[in-house]
């Protein structure tokens, strides 16, 4: 409808012989002012040589009867034009949701486009920490927004399975007497890495040994090191898979630095016009482009992250001939990506044009450091377990009996994801455990609870013989209907701005409106002629919550 109104206004201006102008069609803050409003009269009146309010009156006459489902057009203030939707429109939306539930909120702006979304990117031999957890939440939601827009989305994961951090871990394994015959966990690998990283900083002779290990691993020249490395790598990747399953993420393809390294080195050496030699290393002179200079091959002839990333772009294209490639990471490396994309534009201009980096803020804990059993980072599994225990405790305090651990974990993960996504992803946020687990608004559990509550209400209605139907509706739309229909617009805007927080905020508003609606309306009352329509509206809200929670990567339980 928003686009329909926009088009009708542009056509009217053209008929009046006026040049196109920039104007907005949006929802008024106060719904009593209408369902849509535009400022077009304020920006076009001067061109028509009249004042905005008079021009608004003229435009109102031009638009009268042109747009289907517009019951009334009014003028407010200095010349704002307000559009009021008719009852049939709202009834139609409710019916559409009931008839085609799974497609509700989807659009075709990226239809038939192949989109790669790379995110999470944990490094084998290191702990999967809460930073990866939050990065996964953002990337997964971005991937789902593209899916909602009709794209063929491929989730990919790029992992650093080679480099100095691996040398640290392998040295640490040797130092901890971990061998290929040992039974060890991925968590112990994290401890081995921490031990090696500390020794590298504090013991120069050990640092030289690790450099030797690093080169040997790059070259696969030491069978004993290779065997230890292979077993550690496999343990790490299996551990990561357990976490992805918890987070409801499935990657179609994994890319590794060990694959990209030799290709990245070859690329740099093959483009002396792009990468120049400096003190034995090869660098990209970003300063010529208003950026900063970065090393692509170090003085030992080994490729850096930059060279590997450059090769990765083409590796992705070879596997998936993509139309668009998104890379989601913490914004601390945004400047790095600017240099990388600039260098890519010299080597792979067609791929650089299709590559987008989305940097996001970090999440800090309001309580300070939470429980951690390894190193200085907080393992994601420990964090999830702690929030799960807190969710069970909170449910028990609220009077719930026998809350199973699976449901509690879904609530915990919902709390974590919502807290990550409720604000603009570019900003840093603070995770407050009590707020995140609140059942009283602006939280994932609040949305999950509202969804479960509607499921319960509909069950009671069915028991009372009330079946959702749109055949008999009250003359005036319910207030909540003026929110439901906006969902597709919110989803589209969220993708356009790469900002899932619009969906999170909308769902919270919708859930609050439903709870107000339920407090004033009888749904499970077979004697009320509008009860079937009220049940239909409730079901439409339930489906909208379910689809919106899916966009955020949050499960929508039917019981809580």
């Amino acid at each position: 409808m928003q686009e329909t109104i926009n088009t009708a206004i542009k056509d009217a201006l053209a008929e009046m012989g006026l040049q196109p102008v920039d104007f907005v069609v949006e929802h008024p803050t106060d719904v009593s002012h209408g369902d849509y409003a535009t400022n077009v009269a304020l920006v076009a009146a001067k061109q028509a040589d009249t004042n905005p309010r008079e021009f608004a009156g003229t435009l109102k006459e031009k638009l009268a009867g042109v747009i289907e489902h517009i019951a009334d057009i009014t003028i407010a203030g200095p010349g704002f034009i307000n559009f009021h939707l008719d009852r049939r429109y709202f009834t139609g939306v409710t019916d559409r949701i009931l008839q085609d539930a799974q497609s509700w909120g989807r659009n075709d702006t990226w239809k038939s486009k192949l989109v790669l979304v790379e995110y999470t990117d944990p490094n084998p031999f290191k702990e999967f920490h809460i930073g990866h957890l939050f990065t996964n939440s953002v990337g997964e939601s971005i991937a789902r927004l593209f899916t909602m827009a009709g794209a063929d989305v491929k989730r990919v994961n790029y992992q650093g399975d080679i480099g100095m951090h691996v040398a640290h871990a392998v040295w640490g394994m040797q130092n901890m007497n971990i061998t290929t015959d040992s039974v060890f966990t991925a968590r112990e690998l994290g401890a081995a890495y921490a031990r090696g990283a500390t020794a590298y900083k504090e013991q120069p002779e050990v640092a030289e040994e690790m450099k030797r290990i690093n080169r040997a691993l790059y070259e696969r020249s030491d069978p004993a090191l290779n065997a230890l490395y292979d077993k550690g790598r496999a343990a790490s990747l299996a551990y990561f898979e357990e976490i992805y399953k918890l987070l409801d993420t499935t990657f179609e393809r994994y890319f590794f630095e060990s694959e990209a390294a030799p290709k990245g080195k070859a690329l740099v050496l093959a483009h002396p016009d792009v990468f120049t030699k400096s003190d034995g290393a090869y660098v990209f002179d970003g300063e010529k482009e208003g950026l900063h200079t970065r090393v692509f091959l170090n003085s030992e002839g080994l490729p850096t992250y930059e060279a590997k990333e450059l090769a990765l772009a083409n590796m992705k294209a070879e596997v998936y001939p993509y139309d668009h490639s998104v890379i989601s990471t913490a914004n601390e490396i945004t400047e790095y990506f600017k240099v990388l994309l600039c260098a890519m534009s010299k080597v792979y201009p067609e791929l650089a044009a299709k590559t987008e980096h989305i940097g996001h803020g970090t999440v800090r804990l309001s309580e300070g450091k939470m429980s951690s059993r390894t190193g200085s980072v907080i393992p994601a599994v420990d964090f999830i377990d702690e929030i799960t225990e807190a969710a069970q405790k909170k449910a028990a305090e609220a009077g719930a009996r026998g809350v199973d651990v699976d449901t509690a974990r879904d609530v915990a993960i919902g709390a974590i994801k919502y807290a990550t996504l409720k604000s603009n992803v570019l900003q840093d946020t603070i995770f407050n455990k009590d707020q995140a687990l609140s059942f009283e608004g602006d939280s994932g559990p609040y949305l999950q609870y509202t969804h479960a509550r509607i499921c319960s209400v509909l069950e009671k209605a069915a028991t009372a013989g009330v079946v959702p139907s749109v055949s008999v509706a009250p003359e005036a739309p319910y207030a909540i209907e003026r929110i439901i229909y906006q969902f597709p617009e919110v989803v589209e805007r969220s993708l356009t701005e790469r900002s899932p927080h619009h969906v999170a905020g909308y769902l919270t508003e919708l859930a609050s409106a439903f709870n107000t609606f339920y407090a004033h309306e009888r749904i499970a009352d077979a004697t009320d002629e509008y009860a079937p329509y009220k049940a239909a509206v409730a079901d439409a809200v339930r489906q909208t919550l379910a689809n919106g929670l899916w966009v955020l990567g949050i499960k929508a339980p039917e019981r809580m």
Side-chain angles (χ1 to χ4, degrees), residues 224-356:
L225 285 176
N226 291 343
L228 193 58
Y229 164 85
D230 290 343
K231 186 165 184 178
R233 181 179 184 273
S236 278
L237 296 180
Y239 173 59
F240 294 166
E241 285 300 323
E242 294 175 10
I243 300 175
Y244 299 144
K245 187 176 180 180
L246 273 180
L247 300 177
D248 201 20
T249 291
T250 301
F251 291 102
E252 277 80 15
R253 183 66 153 79
Y254 296 98
F255 292 92
F256 295 96
E257 284 190 31
S258 57
E259 300 173 285
K263 296 179 180 180
K265 180 175 182 176
L267 272 176
V268 172
L269 295 177
H271 290 82
D273 55 325
V274 179
F275 306 100
T276 57
K277 202 163 186 178
S278 175
D279 296 327
Y282 284 84
V283 304
F284 176 73
D285 189 357
E287 293 177 19
K288 292 181 179 179
E289 308 290 341
L291 300 168
H292 63 277
T293 297
R294 295 196 71 94
V295 176
F296 276 64
L297 286 184
N298 65 25
S299 58
E300 296 181 8
L302 298 178
T304 61
Y305 289 119
E306 291 83 347
K308 298 168 193 172
E309 290 267 9
L310 191 62
L312 176 64
N314 192 56
M315 290 166 61
K316 289 178 180 177
E318 289 176 341
V319 178
Y320 300 113
Y322 54 80
D323 296 291
H324 194 64
S325 176
V326 174
I327 303 166
S328 179
T329 70
N331 57 20
E332 60 193 21
I333 58 174
T334 294
E335 294 304 313
Y336 154 83
F337 262 97
K338 289 179 181 178
V339 178
L340 175 66
L341 288 173
C342 185
M344 193 186 300
S345 70
K346 314 292 184 184
V347 178
Y348 292 125
E350 71 287 355
L351 298 184
K354 297 189 291 187
T355 301
E356 172 189 7

Side-chain angles (χ1 to χ4, degrees), residues 401-431:
R401 294 183 178 180
V403 178
D404 66 274
V405 69
D406 290 335
T407 300
R409 187 176 290 110
D410 288 344
V411 170
I413 292 173
I416 294 167
K417 289 188 175 185
Y418 182 92
T420 305
L421 301 172
K422 71 176 183 178
S423 302
N424 190 313
V425 296
L426 298 176
Q427 302 172 346
D428 291 345
T429 57
I430 298 175
F431 182 88

Side-chain angles (χ1 to χ4, degrees), residues 202-217:
E202 299 176 352
Q203 303 175 47
E205 68 282 2
V206 170
E208 290 304 314
E209 171 61 12
M210 289 187 199
K211 290 178 183 178
R212 185 197 70 77
I213 292 174
N214 186 41
R215 178 172 288 280
L217 291 175

